[in-house]
Amino acid sequence: EPSPANFFALLKNVEINKTYNILALPIGLSNHNGMTVWNPCSDIAYADNQIVEKLVTEKTNVGLMVRTIDSLIFDDSLPPPTHIKIDVDGIERLILLGGEETLKSKSLKFIQVEVDESDDSALEITEYLMNLGFSKPVMRHPPYYNKYYYAPQFNYFFYKNT
């Protein structure tokens, strides 16, 4: 979680729920290691922080350190995950591309990705993960579903084929 306010809230949530098997890191994920453009929202702890592929002039642009999932697992010797949840509003595919070796690992059983079906990314993500041995997704609307605002947004649940 790259947002300082969201990262602090995440750490408090881990503490409150005593879920100490979670490793929280204050970084962004992408398909490369290095710097990228980040457009943080001015409202603290709000989910409108976006990593973008090009500069957006109407927002404040900030440089952000990003890593790939694979570099965290293989270069930093983190334990491979059994489950992954991605809810990032726009760069889901880039994050998955940066974790291809991790996604192929036998330890990974499940991936949840929130997608927006109003663009091509849902199909691209589905094809990519199915080619890596995951099932066709089970699709569910988010729990805060509002049919007028969130109609194209779904949580896709992918299970590793055994």
PDB file of all heavy atoms in Angstrom, residues 6-18:
ATOM      1  N   ASN A   6      -3.487   5.239   3.968  1.00  0.00           N
ATOM      2  CA  ASN A   6      -4.050   3.893   3.835  1.00  0.00           C
ATOM      3  C   ASN A   6      -3.145   2.846   4.479  1.00  0.00           C
ATOM      4  O   ASN A   6      -3.623   1.864   5.054  1.00  0.00           O
ATOM      5  CB  ASN A   6      -4.286   3.549   2.369  1.00  0.00           C
ATOM      6  CG  ASN A   6      -5.441   4.304   1.770  1.00  0.00           C
ATOM      7  OD1 ASN A   6      -6.232   4.927   2.469  1.00  0.00           O
ATOM      8  ND2 ASN A   6      -5.545   4.268   0.460  1.00  0.00           N
ATOM      9  N   PHE A   7      -1.829   3.039   4.369  1.00  0.00           N
ATOM     10  CA  PHE A   7      -0.892   2.091   4.977  1.00  0.00           C
ATOM     11  C   PHE A   7      -1.051   2.098   6.498  1.00  0.00           C
ATOM     12  O   PHE A   7      -1.095   1.038   7.132  1.00  0.00           O
ATOM     13  CB  PHE A   7       0.549   2.428   4.581  1.00  0.00           C
ATOM     14  CG  PHE A   7       1.550   1.426   5.079  1.00  0.00           C
ATOM     15  CD1 PHE A   7       1.597   0.150   4.537  1.00  0.00           C
ATOM     16  CD2 PHE A   7       2.441   1.756   6.079  1.00  0.00           C
ATOM     17  CE1 PHE A   7       2.511  -0.785   4.999  1.00  0.00           C
ATOM     18  CE2 PHE A   7       3.361   0.831   6.546  1.00  0.00           C
ATOM     19  CZ  PHE A   7       3.392  -0.446   6.002  1.00  0.00           C
ATOM     20  N   PHE A   8      -1.174   3.277   7.082  1.00  0.00           N
ATOM     21  CA  PHE A   8      -1.383   3.376   8.526  1.00  0.00           C
ATOM     22  C   PHE A   8      -2.690   2.684   8.914  1.00  0.00           C
ATOM     23  O   PHE A   8      -2.742   1.932   9.896  1.00  0.00           O
ATOM     24  CB  PHE A   8      -1.404   4.835   8.973  1.00  0.00           C
ATOM     25  CG  PHE A   8      -1.677   5.010  10.438  1.00  0.00           C
ATOM     26  CD1 PHE A   8      -0.705   4.729  11.379  1.00  0.00           C
ATOM     27  CD2 PHE A   8      -2.922   5.425  10.868  1.00  0.00           C
ATOM     28  CE1 PHE A   8      -0.958   4.867  12.739  1.00  0.00           C
ATOM     29  CE2 PHE A   8      -3.191   5.567  12.227  1.00  0.00           C
ATOM     30  CZ  PHE A   8      -2.212   5.292  13.164  1.00  0.00           C
ATOM     31  N   ALA A   9      -3.769   2.919   8.155  1.00  0.00           N
ATOM     32  CA  ALA A   9      -5.052   2.272   8.445  1.00  0.00           C
ATOM     33  C   ALA A   9      -4.945   0.759   8.313  1.00  0.00           C
ATOM     34  O   ALA A   9      -5.519   0.014   9.118  1.00  0.00           O
ATOM     35  CB  ALA A   9      -6.135   2.814   7.511  1.00  0.00           C
ATOM     36  N   LEU A  10      -4.182   0.293   7.340  1.00  0.00           N
ATOM     37  CA  LEU A  10      -3.973  -1.145   7.167  1.00  0.00           C
ATOM     38  C   LEU A  10      -3.257  -1.746   8.377  1.00  0.00           C
ATOM     39  O   LEU A  10      -3.652  -2.787   8.901  1.00  0.00           O
ATOM     40  CB  LEU A  10      -3.169  -1.407   5.887  1.00  0.00           C
ATOM     41  CG  LEU A  10      -2.752  -2.846   5.624  1.00  0.00           C
ATOM     42  CD1 LEU A  10      -3.958  -3.746   5.460  1.00  0.00           C
ATOM     43  CD2 LEU A  10      -1.869  -2.897   4.379  1.00  0.00           C
ATOM     44  N   LEU A  11      -2.203  -1.076   8.834  1.00  0.00           N
ATOM     45  CA  LEU A  11      -1.477  -1.570  10.006  1.00  0.00           C
ATOM     46  C   LEU A  11      -2.366  -1.603  11.248  1.00  0.00           C
ATOM     47  O   LEU A  11      -2.301  -2.547  12.050  1.00  0.00           O
ATOM     48  CB  LEU A  11      -0.240  -0.717  10.267  1.00  0.00           C
ATOM     49  CG  LEU A  11       0.871  -0.799   9.222  1.00  0.00           C
ATOM     50  CD1 LEU A  11       2.013   0.128   9.591  1.00  0.00           C
ATOM     51  CD2 LEU A  11       1.351  -2.219   9.030  1.00  0.00           C
ATOM     52  N   LYS A  12      -3.200  -0.584  11.421  1.00  0.00           N
ATOM     53  CA  LYS A  12      -4.134  -0.569  12.557  1.00  0.00           C
ATOM     54  C   LYS A  12      -5.138  -1.717  12.443  1.00  0.00           C
ATOM     55  O   LYS A  12      -5.464  -2.366  13.442  1.00  0.00           O
ATOM     56  CB  LYS A  12      -4.880   0.770  12.640  1.00  0.00           C
ATOM     57  CG  LYS A  12      -4.012   1.944  13.010  1.00  0.00           C
ATOM     58  CD  LYS A  12      -3.347   1.797  14.352  1.00  0.00           C
ATOM     59  CE  LYS A  12      -4.322   1.945  15.485  1.00  0.00           C
ATOM     60  NZ  LYS A  12      -3.691   1.793  16.807  1.00  0.00           N
ATOM     61  N   ASN A  13      -5.603  -1.994  11.237  1.00  0.00           N
ATOM     62  CA  ASN A  13      -6.543  -3.085  11.016  1.00  0.00           C
ATOM     63  C   ASN A  13      -5.900  -4.437  11.331  1.00  0.00           C
ATOM     64  O   ASN A  13      -6.531  -5.311  11.938  1.00  0.00           O
ATOM     65  CB  ASN A  13      -7.045  -3.047   9.573  1.00  0.00           C
ATOM     66  CG  ASN A  13      -8.339  -3.770   9.383  1.00  0.00           C
ATOM     67  OD1 ASN A  13      -9.025  -4.139  10.332  1.00  0.00           O
ATOM     68  ND2 ASN A  13      -8.694  -3.971   8.132  1.00  0.00           N
ATOM     69  N   VAL A  14      -4.651  -4.616  10.934  1.00  0.00           N
ATOM     70  CA  VAL A  14      -3.919  -5.844  11.253  1.00  0.00           C
ATOM     71  C   VAL A  14      -3.815  -6.004  12.769  1.00  0.00           C
ATOM     72  O   VAL A  14      -4.047  -7.084  13.315  1.00  0.00           O
ATOM     73  CB  VAL A  14      -2.517  -5.832  10.601  1.00  0.00           C
ATOM     74  CG1 VAL A  14      -1.626  -6.922  11.174  1.00  0.00           C
ATOM     75  CG2 VAL A  14      -2.637  -5.957   9.082  1.00  0.00           C
ATOM     76  N   GLU A  15      -3.494  -4.909  13.451  1.00  0.00           N
ATOM     77  CA  GLU A  15      -3.369  -4.940  14.910  1.00  0.00           C
ATOM     78  C   GLU A  15      -4.714  -5.244  15.581  1.00  0.00           C
ATOM     79  O   GLU A  15      -4.791  -6.101  16.463  1.00  0.00           O
ATOM     80  CB  GLU A  15      -2.826  -3.602  15.402  1.00  0.00           C
ATOM     81  CG  GLU A  15      -2.624  -3.541  16.900  1.00  0.00           C
ATOM     82  CD  GLU A  15      -2.114  -2.182  17.347  1.00  0.00           C
ATOM     83  OE1 GLU A  15      -1.466  -1.486  16.553  1.00  0.00           O
ATOM     84  OE2 GLU A  15      -2.391  -1.825  18.501  1.00  0.00           O
ATOM     85  N   ILE A  16      -5.762  -4.556  15.181  1.00  0.00           N
ATOM     86  CA  ILE A  16      -7.083  -4.749  15.784  1.00  0.00           C
ATOM     87  C   ILE A  16      -7.559  -6.191  15.624  1.00  0.00           C
ATOM     88  O   ILE A  16      -8.108  -6.791  16.553  1.00  0.00           O
ATOM     89  CB  ILE A  16      -8.114  -3.777  15.153  1.00  0.00           C
ATOM     90  CG1 ILE A  16      -7.833  -2.351  15.616  1.00  0.00           C
ATOM     91  CG2 ILE A  16      -9.556  -4.181  15.490  1.00  0.00           C
ATOM     92  CD1 ILE A  16      -8.576  -1.286  14.805  1.00  0.00           C
ATOM     93  N   ASN A  17      -7.315  -6.763  14.423  1.00  0.00           N
ATOM     94  CA  ASN A  17      -7.792  -8.114  14.132  1.00  0.00           C
ATOM     95  C   ASN A  17      -6.786  -9.206  14.487  1.00  0.00           C
ATOM     96  O   ASN A  17      -7.062 -10.382  14.274  1.00  0.00           O
ATOM     97  CB  ASN A  17      -8.188  -8.210  12.654  1.00  0.00           C
ATOM     98  CG  ASN A  17      -9.412  -7.400  12.367  1.00  0.00           C
ATOM     99  OD1 ASN A  17     -10.497  -7.749  12.810  1.00  0.00           O
ATOM    100  ND2 ASN A  17      -9.246  -6.296  11.657  1.00  0.00           N
ATOM    101  N   LYS A  18      -5.634  -8.795  15.015  1.00  0.00           N
ATOM    102  CA  LYS A  18      -4.586  -9.737  15.403  1.00  0.00           C
ATOM    103  C   LYS A  18      -4.249 -10.726  14.271  1.00  0.00           C
ATOM    104  O   LYS A  18      -4.074 -11.912  14.499  1.00  0.00           O
ATOM    105  CB  LYS A  18      -4.996 -10.483  16.676  1.00  0.00           C
ATOM    106  CG  LYS A  18      -5.151  -9.561  17.869  1.00  0.00           C
ATOM    107  CD  LYS A  18      -5.571 -10.325  19.114  1.00  0.00           C
ATOM    108  CE  LYS A  18      -5.657  -9.515  20.355  1.00  0.00           C
ATOM    109  NZ  LYS A  18      -6.106  -8.171  20.326  1.00  0.00           N
TER     110      LYS A  18
END
